[in-house]
Amino acid sequence: MTLPPNLLRAGLTQERIPEPCTVIIFGASGDLTKRKLVPALYSLARDRMLSRCAIVGFARRELPFVQLMREGVDEFARRRPVHEDLWGTFSSRISYQQGRFDVPEDYRKLRVHLEELEKAHNLPPNRIFYLSTPPSNFGEIVKNLGDAGLVPKDGPGYARVIIEKPFGVDVESAKKLNVELLRVLDEHQIYRIDHYLGKETVQNMLVFRFGNAIFEPLWNNRFVDHVQITGAEALGVEGRGNYFEEAGILRDMVQNHLLQVLCLAAMEPPAAFDADSVRDEKLKVLRSLRPVADEDVKLHVVRGQYTAGSVLAKRVPGYREEPGVPADSTTETYVALEMFLDNWRWQGVPFFLRSAKRMPKRVTEVAIHFKQTPISLFGAAAVVPNVLALRIQPDEGISLVVGSKVPGQSMAVAPVGMEFRYASSFGVEPPEAYERLLLDCMLGDSTLFTRGDWVMESWRYISRIHESWDASGDTALPAYEAGTWGPAEAEALLHRNGKTWRKP
């Protein structure tokens, strides 16, 4: 189905254009700036979603910054090919300052540079500081910004700070970082970014649930048998063995991405569609998570590590053969969890989360498995589980599996899928996640950003699992061959409840 042009135009009337501002990127020599951030800002300009926006790169190395950003836009921007006249205007407001994160004098130079830039381009002192740096630099950068007078809590203009994940590695580190930030900033100035929340289908979960009267009445333990949330990657650690060895898949994917998705899938309707109302309901979901006792961790959590195998018809090495990974590594590349929410809506409904490297394909989805009919009128062989799947990536869309009669004389029943895909239904390419999130920050809308209390609550749950693993001394991880859907122990996690993992 393609929406008629008048409906598409009607949707555009809700779009807002932010005030002119300057985006200052710390760690601008990194890959994220070239691949995601500047291409996202260019695409917003191309779509006429920005009025005037200046970009300042800040990093230690000397760089041909404008040239590198043009290469990034050429290769990675959603809106291609590059419009030369627009690029001329856009690039005229791109500049670079060489500086060190730990040198206060470099921040004073940055302040002078910003004041001169704003005067030259008639820009207000609206500033967004994007910290695309290792987490160990976050507190230091914010302190130096404060000391240089670059992040005042009150105008003129505004000062906002976007912080990339990971926000801490456990409860204590997250608490320490929160304290460091709040010495300088107010909570409303802090935008903890999780690019998953910028994806169209993640946002569409709220519209799908609370904008359609036919589904929300079924969204509870009376009708839902269980929920599966999958975050699978076909890639390995891709040269980041040293980082991943410290993180593991539970920290890298579950604590942020998948718990965010769980909250949107399970939350109650917010009182209003504003930042605090939505984030209050997400926090309630985390607070209703049933803690896993130390003695039950092995019963409800399965971890694994990939060995050599084939992914997408290509032979790949095992995790312990990756650069930067010790030969005796006990870091998990696969994790599956059985979780319960002790609240009125979801009591008794298991939520199964899994995330892994070197899966058969890259896919992220939420699958709602509904209960069977009380009586099977057409025989046991005719039972078709009803599954509603919200696919976050790739091929963003929604599918519903129902049972239907097979044409012919018999009463044979077969599953039939009803599909909706963004690309084909709307006839437009959805914006990249970073486009939406950067624009929201410019607008001062923190709905899709993570609040400090949510971060702390998520770490409380995840850190208990890590502490139990450490205390157990169990270093034997189940193995799974690269290109398969995980270890046998993960299948057993569902089989004991009479369920199976969905193969997306």
Side-chain angles (χ1 to χ4, degrees):
M1 179 185 75
T2 300
L3 291 183
N6 62 315
L7 288 184
L8 286 175
R9 283 196 298 273
L12 293 176
T13 62
Q14 299 181 25
E15 295 173 345
R16 296 170 291 164
I17 307 298
E19 296 177 10
C21 67
T22 302
V23 179
I24 304 96
I25 304 172
F26 284 82
S29 58
D31 211 32
L32 183 69
T33 304
K34 179 178 177 179
R35 294 175 63 93
K36 295 293 185 181
L37 302 182
V38 173
L41 291 168
Y42 169 80
S43 294
L44 287 171
R46 183 79 184 266
D47 285 344
R48 299 182 180 180
M49 298 303 298
L50 300 183
S51 48
R52 280 171 293 135
C53 174
I55 301 169
V56 178
F58 186 101
R60 180 176 54 82
R61 290 190 287 129
E62 186 176 344
L63 291 176
F65 189 63
V66 177
Q67 176 188 330
L68 290 173
M69 295 308 101
R70 173 57 191 259
E71 293 171 2
V73 169
D74 281 337
E75 187 173 358
F76 301 112
R78 176 178 60 86
R79 297 289 271 123
R80 287 178 284 169
V82 173
H83 189 285
E84 294 300 336
D85 288 345
L86 174 61
W87 175 256
T89 303
F90 183 81
S91 63
S92 70
R93 293 193 289 266
I94 298 178
S95 61
Y96 180 78
Q97 178 168 325
Q98 192 173 356
R100 293 153 294 178
F101 302 150
D102 59 345
V103 178
E105 178 60 27
D106 290 345
Y107 291 78
R108 290 189 282 272
K109 292 178 182 176
L110 175 62
R111 179 172 182 170
V112 172
H113 178 79
L114 291 175
E115 290 170 351
E116 291 174 348
L117 180 72
E118 288 162 353
K119 183 177 180 180
H121 294 282
N122 192 27
L123 295 168
N126 294 330
R127 298 163 182 171
I128 294 173
F129 298 92
Y130 198 114
L131 274 52
S132 178
T133 70
S136 57
N137 297 127
F138 292 165
E140 180 177 53
I141 292 173
V142 170
K143 180 182 183 302
N144 282 321
L145 286 173
D147 290 345
L150 285 166
V151 283
K153 295 180 179 180
D154 298 307
Y158 61 72
R160 297 165 187 159
V161 178
I162 300 179
I163 297 178
E164 274 283 347
K165 78 172 186 74
F167 194 90
V169 296
D170 54 23
V171 172
E172 289 307 314
S173 60
K175 181 179 180 180
K176 179 176 179 290
L177 180 53
N178 262 335
V179 169
E180 289 175 349
L181 297 183
L182 292 172
R183 286 195 189 110
V184 180
L185 305 167
D186 284 339
E187 175 65 33
H188 70 81
Q189 293 178 282
I190 305 170
Y191 288 70
R192 301 170 188 84
I193 195 168
D194 183 342
H195 73 273
Y196 260 52
L197 294 185
K199 293 180 180 292
E200 284 289 327
T201 312
V202 174
Q203 299 169 54
N204 195 40
M205 263 195 280
L206 295 177
V207 177
F208 186 81
R209 287 188 57 194
F210 305 132
N212 295 290
I214 63 173
F215 290 108
E216 185 58 21
L218 310 178
W219 217 266
N220 55 61
N221 57 7
R222 291 181 58 202
F223 299 98
V224 175
D225 179 76
H226 70 283
V227 179
Q228 295 184 23
I229 301 177
T230 297
E233 298 182 4
L235 295 173
V237 294
E238 306 304 300
R240 298 192 309 149
N242 290 326
Y243 160 76
F244 198 83
E245 187 62 17
E246 294 294 322
I249 202 73
L250 187 63
R251 284 190 178 99
D252 191 50
M253 284 289 292
V254 178
Q255 180 270 330
N256 40 74
H257 299 330
L258 293 197
L259 285 186
Q260 289 280 5
V261 172
L262 166 68
C263 288
L264 291 174
M267 64 185 271
E268 295 296 324
F273 191 64
D274 59 50
D276 280 336
S277 297
V278 172
R279 297 193 296 182
D280 286 347
E281 297 303 332
K282 287 165 59 181
L283 180 63
K284 290 177 187 177
V285 174
L286 287 189
R287 287 179 172 166
S288 69
L289 274 173
R290 184 185 302 171
V292 183
D294 289 348
E295 62 271 19
D296 293 333
V297 166
K298 286 196 73 170
L299 187 65
H300 297 286
V301 183
V302 173
R303 52 179 169 163
Q305 191 181 87
Y306 67 82
T307 59
S310 295
V311 179
L312 304 176
K314 180 182 178 182
R315 194 71 185 168
V316 297
Y319 176 70
R320 294 181 181 181
E321 299 159 15
E322 300 275 12
V325 177
D328 59 350
S329 169
T330 58
T331 298
E332 81 286 355
T333 64
Y334 178 101
V335 68
L337 306 93
E338 181 184 33
M339 308 166 79
F340 291 91
L341 298 174
D342 289 331
N343 60 28
W344 193 274
R345 180 186 291 262
W346 295 113
Q347 190 66 36
V349 176
F351 283 73
F352 296 101
L353 275 65
R354 62 175 169 173
S355 186
K357 298 284 189 181
R358 292 299 190 202
M359 295 276 96
K361 61 174 69 173
R362 170 179 172 261
V363 61
T364 303
E365 68 166 27
V366 180
I368 312 296
H369 293 247
F370 291 96
K371 292 181 177 180
Q372 304 283 5
T373 55
I375 299 175
S376 178
L377 296 176
F378 310 109
V383 174
V384 174
N386 299 134
V387 180
L388 177 67
L390 296 96
R391 193 167 48 255
I392 296 169
Q393 65 179 10
D395 302 324
E396 293 92 337
I398 300 170
S399 68
L400 176 64
V401 175
V402 298
S404 178
K405 181 184 176 301
V406 177
Q409 300 303 319
S410 69
M411 282 299 291
V413 178
V416 174
M418 292 186 274
E419 291 271 346
F420 150 74
R421 294 192 178 189
Y422 268 92
S424 57
S425 295
F426 288 96
V428 294
E429 184 181 5
E432 293 283 345
Y434 280 97
E435 294 177 38
R436 173 63 191 264
L437 294 171
L438 285 166
L439 185 64
D440 278 1
C441 182
M442 293 175 186
L443 292 165
D445 184 350
S446 54
T447 304
L448 298 178
F449 292 83
T450 307
R451 203 166 61 190
D453 50 5
W454 189 99
V455 172
M456 294 302 301
E457 203 66 42
S458 67
W459 274 124
R460 286 190 184 98
Y461 186 87
I462 296 300
S463 291
R464 286 177 64 94
I465 297 173
H466 279 123
E467 290 164 4
S468 296
W469 285 346
D470 293 341
S472 71
D474 187 2
T475 59
L477 269 65
Y480 65 99
E481 184 179 339
T484 65
W485 282 105
E489 288 82 351
E491 294 294 338
L493 182 68
L494 270 71
H495 286 171
R496 71 167 183 252
N497 295 309
K499 311 179 197 308
T500 59
W501 284 110
R502 171 179 159 86
K503 300 295 188 291

